[in-house]
Amino acid sequence: MSLLVVGSIALDTVETPTGRADEALGGSAVYFSLAASYFTDVMMVGAVGHDFPPEHKDLLESRGIDTSGLVHLDGKTFRWTGRYAENMNDRETLDVQLNVFDGFRPDIPEAFRGAKHVFLANASPEIQMHVLEQIESPEFVASDTMNIYIENELDALKRLMPRVHCFVLNDEEAVMLTGERSIVSAARAILDMGPATTIIKKGAHGSVMASQEDVFLLPAYPLAREIDPTGAGDSFAGAFCGTVAKSGAEFAGLRRAMAYATVTASFCVEGFSVDGFRELRRADIDERYEDFMRMTHVERVIG
Amino acid sequence: MSLLVVGSIALDTVETPTGRADEALGGSAVYFSLAASYFTDVMMVGAVGHDFPPEHKDLLESRGIDTSGLVHLDGKTFRWTGRYAENMNDRETLDVQLNVFDGFRPDIPEAFRGAKHVFLANASPEIQMHVLEQIESPEFVASDTMNIYIENELDALKRLMPRVHCFVLNDEEAVMLTGERSIVSAARAILDMGPATTIIKKGAHGSVMASQEDVFLLPAYPLAREIDPTGAGDSFAGAFCGTVAKSGAEFAGLRRAMAYATVTASFCVEGFSVDGFRELRRADIDERYEDFMRMTHVERVIG
């Protein structure tokens, strides 16, 4: 089973309370693909400019990611600059230069249109729909969104949501989208908009997944030291969709996928940019997964 | 096995985004005792004034709580007034009138001094030590603290901590006490101060328990509607210590106790003052516990 992701490829400049990275590899499709590559075959679609360093593409390919959907456009690569607050949860966007990402309407390569598993990373819901319509018969579609699309393109978003199996967003976005403060009520309101499942990400406070019949709660993996949370949400989605592509989409499988997602995202937070993935082996993920299972397990019957 | 708690008994005035309660029953010993009463026999020590409504004592006794350690002093009952922010997690203290709680040095009744399980609710660490020294041979001692004691009585607190088996506090207090921002590093630093186990409560974001060998993570029980979080932390501690008193203090037992604590505290948040406990039956707790276990369970092996 292989997994298609369409999203941004970026050069990020990030400042945290403990350090900074300048024009380092980032973007939703990049984090997603790297994380997913530990679980399944990944096909990536995105646009870069003439200034995109070739070693970044080499890194993606070294993880077996199919980059034949990566188009080189005339212009500069998308750039994002942000700064994290002392608590590492709140962040401020200091600068965005869309560059080649501006107006990018992805054409999905013929060879990718048979994908059964698809992730529509953060983009305008109209673009996400444009991508989805090129896929022949997807079995599992997940999508992300963000505040600007909830504010400015709500109608298009609401047209997309019923076509998505798993709608992923963060807690602030969930409140913004539904007007509901409690995570349970927000999840119910989202499900009423059409997706079979929703995942609400709460950063360092874990995540919640809900379907009409089921609710699943998971804490975050506790890190002694957070370096850079950029990309954690996309890494989470990558490992989640990668596990689903490999193991199936019944709710028990989705729970397990959430746990792998949580653990994989934690490695992302341990380095700037994609550094957390550079030396990471699948065995490291499995080891931390076992550790995480121990940390969250309650014995049903005692002594 | 019975459980002794020494703490405050209060008349609370609380304002939340959705309503208010005036001079309603509250206080750490009250919430703790009510929650613990679903799991074990409870002995309560505290002070009230001449204005303490007798029906409050009746409520405690209707739950089988031994109130013979409740002393009536000449003066008014402790009063606290607070207001919760829109997010229901942050709160502001508007007024505190210590009244009879001011300078109260509890004398533990002879009949209570053989208690094997003890909870030292929020009080000056010097008073908590004074209480502990009256207990003949406690097997499990848990204690709570708060910001003012960390700021003003740190030496006394550090003398108490090695004598406590389980040191309970919230995440803000943990940062204040240790200077560590990450919950893992904060927990390690607390354990280095002497207690065998620590529990860091994160309100609506769940809780973390740690010993030198083990870490346990638990989300909060997700409520569709929060009414009043006052007393949730003490209810959590009550159900926790009550379960430990009944089922033992090995780490697997402590994990199960944390889960019961989480569930019991959720009922507290569903009403103002102690209203969440008025009609609550043990069967309701057990039902929600099963529900919570389903919500947090990850199948280890899939298909």
Side-chain angles (χ1 to χ4, degrees):
Chain A
M1 285 303 199
S2 64
L3 170 62
L4 170 68
V5 55
V6 184
S8 64
I9 299 165
L11 298 175
D12 289 342
T13 297
V14 175
E15 214 177 295
T16 76
T18 56
R20 62 178 289 138
D22 288 276
E23 303 223 328
L25 180 58
S28 57
V30 168
Y31 284 109
F32 182 95
S33 297
L34 286 171
S37 71
Y38 292 90
F39 302 93
T40 193
D41 294 332
V42 182
M43 304 176 287
M44 176 181 180
V45 171
V48 297
H50 55 71
D51 56 352
F52 190 67
E55 63 265 29
H56 292 343
K57 198 172 162 188
D58 295 344
L59 174 71
L60 296 166
E61 288 169 357
S62 78
R63 289 284 326 142
I65 297 161
D66 185 339
T67 61
S68 60
L70 199 155
V71 293
H72 290 259
L73 297 178
D74 192 21
K76 291 177 79 179
T77 302
F78 174 44
R79 275 166 175 75
W80 177 79
T81 303
R83 181 169 34 198
Y84 285 85
E86 195 60 48
N87 67 13
M88 281 281 193
N89 235 358
D90 302 323
R91 76 177 187 193
E92 189 187 353
T93 291
L94 301 177
D95 188 39
V96 175
Q97 295 172 29
L98 289 175
N99 299 331
V100 297
F101 197 60
D102 191 15
F104 175 58
R105 285 182 76 79
D107 276 325
I108 307 304
E110 199 59 41
F112 291 1
R113 296 187 178 197
K116 295 301 175 202
H117 295 82
V118 180
F119 184 67
L120 307 168
N122 233 323
S124 136
E126 191 270 325
I127 293 288
Q128 290 176 313
M129 186 69 98
H130 168 74
V131 168
L132 185 53
E133 281 172 346
Q134 297 174 65
I135 311 304
E136 286 152 15
S137 54
E139 287 171 8
F140 183 83
V141 178
S143 73
D144 196 357
T145 192
M146 67 187 287
N147 51 1
I148 54 168
Y149 305 119
I150 295 170
E151 276 182 281
N152 304 326
E153 303 186 39
L154 189 58
D155 288 347
L157 188 61
K158 285 188 170 173
R159 279 192 298 277
L160 179 72
M161 287 171 72
R163 307 226 3 218
V164 163
H165 301 97
C166 185
F167 187 71
V168 182
L169 72 179
N170 72 32
D171 46 357
E172 277 178 32
E173 293 156 358
V175 172
M176 185 185 267
L177 177 59
T178 65
E180 297 285 351
R181 297 223 142 261
S182 106
I183 207 120
V184 182
S185 308
R188 279 186 202 140
I190 290 167
L191 293 173
D192 287 343
M193 296 177 190
T197 309
T198 184
I199 293 176
I200 302 177
K201 298 172 294 180
K202 303 190 293 170
H205 299 304
S207 55
V208 174
M209 177 169 63
S211 68
Q212 291 291 357
E213 305 77 31
D214 224 333
V215 173
F216 177 57
L217 314 170
L218 203 61
Y221 184 87
L223 290 173
R225 191 147 179 256
E226 294 181 13
I227 302 296
D228 175 14
T230 309
D234 293 305
S235 302
F236 180 99
F240 177 80
C241 292
T243 309
V244 171
K246 201 79 180 179
S247 312
E250 82 288 13
F251 206 82
L254 297 184
R255 286 173 178 235
R256 189 153 164 268
M258 283 259 288
Y260 273 114
T262 297
V263 163
T264 307
S266 76
F267 287 105
C268 173
V269 178
E270 289 184 310
F272 276 102
S273 175
V274 300
D275 289 353
F277 293 111
R278 288 188 193 276
E279 305 291 325
L280 186 68
R281 298 159 310 137
R282 173 62 193 255
D284 301 322
I285 295 175
D286 289 340
E287 192 182 320
R288 191 172 283 186
Y289 180 85
E290 287 304 315
D291 195 25
F292 188 50
M293 288 296 97
R294 277 191 294 274
M295 286 182 179
T296 56
H297 182 65
V298 181
E299 293 285 344
R300 297 301 292 274
V301 179
I302 300 290
Chain B
M1 284 304 199
S2 62
L3 170 62
L4 171 68
V5 55
V6 185
S8 63
I9 299 165
L11 297 175
D12 288 343
T13 296
V14 176
E15 214 177 295
T16 75
T18 57
R20 60 177 290 136
D22 288 276
E23 303 222 329
L25 180 58
S28 58
V30 168
Y31 284 109
F32 181 96
S33 297
L34 286 170
S37 72
Y38 291 90
F39 301 93
T40 193
D41 295 331
V42 182
M43 304 175 285
M44 176 181 180
V45 171
V48 298
H50 54 72
D51 56 352
F52 190 66
E55 62 266 29
H56 291 343
K57 197 173 161 187
D58 296 344
L59 173 71
L60 296 167
E61 287 169 358
S62 77
R63 289 286 325 142
I65 296 161
D66 185 337
T67 61
S68 60
L70 198 155
V71 293
H72 290 260
L73 297 179
D74 193 22
K76 293 176 77 179
T77 302
F78 174 44
R79 275 165 175 76
W80 177 79
T81 302
R83 182 171 29 198
Y84 286 85
E86 196 60 48
N87 67 14
M88 282 280 193
N89 235 0
D90 302 323
R91 78 178 185 191
E92 189 186 352
T93 291
L94 301 177
D95 188 38
V96 175
Q97 295 171 28
L98 290 176
N99 298 331
V100 298
F101 198 60
D102 191 16
F104 174 58
R105 284 182 77 79
D107 275 324
I108 307 304
E110 199 58 42
F112 290 2
R113 296 187 179 196
K116 294 302 173 200
H117 295 82
V118 180
F119 184 67
L120 308 168
N122 232 324
S124 135
E126 191 271 324
I127 293 288
Q128 291 175 312
M129 186 69 98
H130 168 73
V131 168
L132 186 54
E133 282 174 345
Q134 297 173 65
I135 312 304
E136 286 153 14
S137 53
E139 288 172 7
F140 183 83
V141 178
S143 73
D144 196 358
T145 193
M146 67 186 289
N147 50 3
I148 54 168
Y149 306 120
I150 295 170
E151 277 182 281
N152 303 325
E153 304 186 38
L154 189 57
D155 287 347
L157 188 61
K158 286 189 170 170
R159 278 192 299 275
L160 180 71
M161 287 172 72
R163 307 235 349 227
V164 163
H165 301 97
C166 184
F167 187 71
V168 182
L169 72 179
N170 72 33
D171 45 359
E172 278 179 31
E173 292 156 358
V175 172
M176 185 186 267
L177 177 58
T178 65
E180 297 286 351
R181 296 222 142 261
S182 109
I183 208 119
V184 182
S185 307
R188 278 187 202 140
I190 290 167
L191 293 173
D192 286 343
M193 297 176 191
T197 309
T198 183
I199 294 177
I200 302 177
K201 298 173 293 180
K202 302 190 292 171
H205 299 304
S207 54
V208 175
M209 176 169 63
S211 68
Q212 291 291 357
E213 305 77 32
D214 223 333
V215 173
F216 177 57
L217 313 170
L218 203 62
Y221 183 87
L223 290 173
R225 191 146 177 256
E226 293 181 12
I227 302 295
D228 174 14
T230 310
D234 292 306
S235 301
F236 180 99
F240 177 80
C241 292
T243 308
V244 171
K246 201 76 178 179
S247 312
E250 84 287 15
F251 206 82
L254 297 184
R255 286 173 176 234
R256 189 154 164 269
M258 283 258 289
Y260 273 114
T262 297
V263 163
T264 306
S266 76
F267 287 105
C268 173
V269 178
E270 288 184 311
F272 276 103
S273 174
V274 299
D275 290 354
F277 292 111
R278 287 186 194 277
E279 305 291 325
L280 186 67
R281 298 159 310 137
R282 173 62 194 255
D284 302 322
I285 296 175
D286 289 340
E287 194 181 319
R288 190 171 284 185
Y289 180 85
E290 287 304 316
D291 195 27
F292 187 51
M293 288 297 96
R294 277 191 294 274
M295 286 182 179
T296 55
H297 183 65
V298 180
E299 293 286 343
R300 297 302 292 275
V301 180
I302 301 289

